[in-house]
Amino acid sequence: MAAISREEVAHLARLSRLAVTDEELDTFAGQLDVILQAVARVGEVTAGDIPPTSHSVPLTNVFRDDVVRPGLNREDALAGAPDAEDGRFRVPRILDEEV
Amino acid sequence: MSTTALPTYDDVVERYEPVIGLETHVELGTNTKMFCACPTGFGAEPNTQVCPVCLGLPGSLPVANRAAIEATIRIGLALNCSIAEWCRFARKNYFYPDMPKNFQTSQYDEPLCFDGWLDVEVDGEMVRIGIERVHLEEDTGKTLHVGGATGRIHGATESLVDYNRAGIPLVEIVTKPIPGTGAKAPVVARAYVTELRDVIRSLGVSDVRMEQGSLRCDVNTSLNLPGEDWGTRTETKNVNSLRSVERAVRSEILRQAAVLDSGGRIVQETRHFHEDTGDTTSGRSKETATDYRYFPEPDLVPIAPDPAWVAELKSALPELPRVHRTRLQERWGLTDLDMQSVVNAGAVELIEETVAAGATPAGARKWWLGELARRANETGVELAAVGATPAHVAELQRLVDEGKLNDKLARTVLEGVVAGEGTPSEIMAARGLEVVSDTGALTAAVDEAIAANPAIADKVRDGKVAAAGALVGAVMKTTRGQADAKTVRELILARLGVQG
């Protein structure tokens, strides 16, 4: 059985705002399935006493003091923006959404 | 819609049981952002408080702000929470330009603080609100929708984004569901947010100003029939004042009841509260949590607060507002009922600060609960935002005590203060409002009044002292209220040769 369905790929594509054609859906679903199955094989060799690892380095509590340091000036901040207006990043409107 | 009359609130809460829940966001008052050293000041020019980290530029790496972690732990402790021994940040992925990274760094199933409670007093009764979790995340940028007429999304052709706010530490405090409050649900919601605000302010970790967005609130509401399972909940956003918290719950209870009464179903969705109408309208359907594809943030190492540090923070917590209020009540000599009205009016700190500025507790209470509370009520703003400050009120009371203003003039001056005309002294000077204490001028006015009202004057001379009131009134009229009524009365009686 496939590790990821065509519908799940379509759903992820929508969440990522990627326009994916029907043929591409088939292609990607197949490719992602191969990747997921390969990763799943790791699960076969893990022992029950090893917790899922998110950080490979056993380090905790790396903090920074609350001291201001200069960042970018506005010109530099906007330099890489596709478009800008009134010192703000200009982006296409987002349809029917609000977070 | 059915054509039958809409049910009244009393009728609705008689038949349905509301369950509420609140999610509150508090912007911390740290010097720098959560994961970078950018400043956090309010009101700076757009995109002048940004750097590669908060702009999500490739290769930049976040480092957590110790002060923000500490502030969150202190909030958790003040809310009687357990502090996680070990927890991680997580990426919350979504597609919206308010975060340039395409995700928000937040916490998912491992909040820094969890399982606490806050006691809230409602109508003299204590309600214990369960706290589900307190977690730390980062605030988003501000989007401005342009091209449309209203600045709202509909009709806008593009969005302009300012990332100054993106990355400012944001603490989210989530209650457990609050059942069983019945008709009082809206009042309980408001009392909770008020108490939470006061607790956080007492910790000195945020200025918690709803009008500036450093305290924001989402309200969950559902209805069920007695004995049945809890209903489907909606989440109301855009609730920007304490008063709105109460209105939003009430409005949502009424709306849901009308839907249920007509045989409809409640849809789980986000709704937006509108300050002007007091109604909510439907937003988008709520994305399920899995749509955010949370996963542990690989660029930030886990947090494992040292128990000794936590114990130290706990022992150093300030006196909490409820305890503090009890002490103030004793010091001010108020009954439980009087204190309750002070609390309900949101006047505790205002009176405390007014007393600190030199007024007597009675004087401070009189203005805040009288004139100013009435004014706040009429204009629908919080007492603290009515336009007068504790310093103004203390000064006003001092001018009254010194005899420079009488009660009536003081009210006029206070109106000026509220209208933003300046301090009481400035308004007195600008409007020429001062009690006429120049006895020469007063005596002339008194003589004039006596001459103009010979019949009344005779009555007074014959011993009908009460009739002097009419003469006092006449003098007050000629001096445009700028005389001290008691002094005028004494003068009249003296001129007529009568003993007061």
Side-chain angles (χ1 to χ4, degrees), chain B residues 26-59:
Chain B
V26 175
E27 222 177 53
L28 294 180
T30 49
N31 298 320
T32 67
K33 292 188 179 179
M34 187 58 230
F35 301 115
C36 61
C38 286
T40 55
F42 182 80
E45 286 293 303
N47 296 305
T48 54
Q49 300 182 345
V50 292
C51 76
V53 174
C54 55
L55 287 179
L57 299 187

Coordinates of all heavy atoms in Angstrom, one line a residue, chain B residues 26-59:
Chain B
V26 N -0.5 37.7 24.6 CA 0.2 38.9 25.3 C 1.5 39.1 24.6 O 2.4 38.2 24.6 CB 0.3 38.6 26.8 CG1 1.1 39.7 27.5 CG2 -1.0 38.4 27.4
E27 N 1.7 40.3 24.1 CA 3.0 40.7 23.6 C 3.9 41.1 24.8 O 3.5 42.0 25.6 CB 2.8 41.9 22.7 CG 3.6 41.8 21.4 CD 3.3 43.0 20.5 OE1 3.4 44.2 21.0 OE2 2.9 42.8 19.4
L28 N 5.0 40.4 24.9 CA 5.9 40.7 26.0 C 6.7 42.1 25.8 O 6.9 42.5 24.7 CB 6.9 39.6 26.2 CG 6.4 38.3 26.6 CD1 7.5 37.2 26.8 CD2 5.6 38.4 27.9
G29 N 7.0 42.7 26.9 CA 7.7 44.0 26.8 C 9.2 43.9 26.8 O 9.9 44.7 27.4
T30 N 9.7 42.9 26.2 CA 11.2 42.7 26.2 C 11.8 43.8 25.3 O 11.1 44.4 24.5 CB 11.6 41.3 25.6 OG1 10.9 41.1 24.4 CG2 11.2 40.2 26.6
N31 N 13.1 44.0 25.5 CA 13.8 45.0 24.7 C 14.0 44.5 23.2 O 13.9 45.3 22.3 CB 15.2 45.2 25.2 CG 15.2 45.8 26.6 OD1 14.4 46.6 26.9 ND2 16.1 45.3 27.5
T32 N 14.2 43.2 23.1 CA 14.4 42.7 21.8 C 13.4 41.6 21.4 O 12.6 41.1 22.3 CB 15.8 42.0 21.7 OG1 15.9 40.9 22.5 CG2 16.9 43.0 22.1
K33 N 13.4 41.2 20.1 CA 12.5 40.2 19.7 C 12.8 38.8 20.2 O 13.7 38.6 21.0 CB 12.5 40.2 18.1 CG 12.0 41.4 17.5 CD 11.8 41.3 16.0 CE 11.2 42.6 15.4 NZ 11.1 42.5 13.9
M34 N 11.9 37.9 19.9 CA 12.0 36.5 20.5 C 13.3 35.8 20.0 O 14.0 35.1 20.8 CB 10.8 35.7 20.1 CG 10.7 34.3 20.7 SD 10.6 34.4 22.5 CE 11.9 33.3 23.0
F35 N 13.6 35.9 18.8 CA 14.7 35.1 18.3 C 15.8 35.9 17.6 O 16.7 35.4 17.0 CB 14.2 34.1 17.2 CG 13.2 33.1 17.8 CD1 11.8 33.2 17.4 CD2 13.5 32.3 18.9 CE1 10.9 32.4 18.0 CE2 12.5 31.4 19.4 CZ 11.2 31.5 19.0
C36 N 15.8 37.2 17.7 CA 16.8 38.1 17.2 C 16.9 39.3 18.0 O 16.1 39.6 18.9 CB 16.6 38.4 15.7 SG 15.1 39.3 15.4
A37 N 18.0 40.1 17.8 CA 18.2 41.3 18.7 C 17.6 42.6 18.2 O 18.0 43.6 18.6 CB 19.8 41.4 18.8
C38 N 16.6 42.5 17.3 CA 15.9 43.7 16.9 C 15.1 44.3 18.0 O 14.5 43.6 18.8 CB 15.0 43.3 15.7 SG 15.8 43.0 14.2
P39 N 15.1 45.7 18.0 CA 14.3 46.3 19.0 C 12.8 46.1 18.8 O 12.3 45.7 17.7 CB 14.6 47.8 18.9 CG 15.1 47.9 17.4 CD 15.7 46.6 17.1
T40 N 12.0 46.4 19.8 CA 10.5 46.1 19.8 C 9.6 47.3 20.0 O 8.4 47.1 20.1 CB 10.2 45.1 20.9 OG1 10.7 45.7 22.1 CG2 10.9 43.7 20.7
G41 N 10.2 48.5 20.0 CA 9.4 49.7 20.3 C 8.1 49.8 19.4 O 8.2 49.5 18.2
F42 N 7.0 50.3 19.9 CA 5.8 50.5 19.2 C 5.8 51.7 18.4 O 6.3 52.8 18.9 CB 4.6 50.5 20.3 CG 3.3 50.6 19.6 CD1 2.6 49.5 19.1 CD2 2.6 51.8 19.6 CE1 1.4 49.6 18.6 CE2 1.3 51.9 19.1 CZ 0.7 50.8 18.5
G43 N 5.3 51.7 17.2 CA 5.1 52.9 16.4 C 6.3 53.3 15.6 O 6.3 54.5 15.1
A44 N 7.3 52.5 15.4 CA 8.5 52.9 14.6 C 8.1 52.9 13.1 O 7.1 52.3 12.7 CB 9.6 51.9 14.8
E45 N 8.8 53.6 12.3 CA 8.6 53.6 10.8 C 8.6 52.1 10.3 O 9.4 51.3 10.8 CB 9.7 54.4 10.1 CG 9.6 55.9 10.3 CD 8.3 56.4 9.6 OE1 8.2 56.2 8.4 OE2 7.5 57.0 10.3
P46 N 7.8 51.8 9.3 CA 7.7 50.4 8.9 C 9.1 49.8 8.4 O 9.9 50.5 7.8 CB 6.8 50.5 7.6 CG 6.0 51.7 7.8 CD 6.9 52.7 8.6
N47 N 9.3 48.6 8.8 CA 10.5 47.8 8.4 C 11.8 48.5 8.8 O 12.8 48.4 8.0 CB 10.5 47.5 6.9 CG 9.3 46.6 6.6 OD1 9.2 45.5 7.1 ND2 8.4 47.0 5.7
T48 N 11.8 49.2 9.9 CA 13.1 49.7 10.5 C 13.6 48.9 11.7 O 14.6 49.3 12.2 CB 12.9 51.2 10.9 OG1 11.8 51.3 11.8 CG2 12.6 52.1 9.7
Q49 N 12.8 47.9 12.1 CA 13.2 47.1 13.2 C 13.2 45.6 12.8 O 12.5 44.8 13.3 CB 12.3 47.3 14.4 CG 12.3 48.8 14.9 CD 11.4 49.1 16.1 OE1 10.5 48.3 16.4 NE2 11.6 50.2 16.7
V50 N 14.1 45.4 11.8 CA 14.1 44.1 11.2 C 15.6 43.7 10.9 O 16.4 44.5 10.9 CB 13.3 44.0 9.8 CG1 11.8 44.2 10.1 CG2 13.8 45.1 8.9
C51 N 15.8 42.4 10.7 CA 17.1 41.9 10.4 C 16.9 40.5 9.7 O 15.8 40.1 9.5 CB 17.9 41.6 11.7 SG 17.3 40.2 12.6
P52 N 18.0 39.9 9.2 CA 17.9 38.7 8.4 C 17.1 37.6 9.2 O 16.3 36.9 8.5 CB 19.3 38.3 8.2 CG 20.1 39.6 8.2 CD 19.4 40.4 9.2
V53 N 17.2 37.5 10.5 CA 16.4 36.5 11.2 C 14.9 36.7 11.1 O 14.2 35.8 10.7 CB 16.9 36.4 12.7 CG1 16.0 35.4 13.4 CG2 18.3 36.0 12.8
C54 N 14.4 37.9 11.5 CA 13.0 38.1 11.5 C 12.4 38.3 10.1 O 11.2 38.3 9.9 CB 12.5 39.1 12.5 SG 13.3 40.7 12.2
L55 N 13.3 38.5 9.1 CA 12.8 38.6 7.7 C 12.9 37.2 7.1 O 12.6 37.0 5.9 CB 13.7 39.6 6.9 CG 13.4 41.0 7.2 CD1 14.3 41.9 6.4 CD2 11.9 41.4 7.0
G56 N 13.4 36.2 7.8 CA 13.5 34.9 7.3 C 14.4 34.7 6.1 O 14.2 33.9 5.2
L57 N 15.5 35.5 6.1 CA 16.5 35.4 5.0 C 17.3 34.1 5.1 O 17.5 33.6 6.2 CB 17.4 36.6 5.0 CG 16.7 38.0 4.8 CD1 17.8 39.1 4.7 CD2 15.8 38.0 3.6
P58 N 17.6 33.5 4.0 CA 18.3 32.2 4.0 C 19.6 32.3 4.8 O 20.3 33.3 4.7 CB 18.6 32.0 2.5 CG 17.7 32.8 1.7 CD 17.4 34.0 2.6
G59 N 19.9 31.2 5.6 CA 21.1 31.2 6.3 C 21.1 31.8 7.7 O 22.0 31.6 8.5

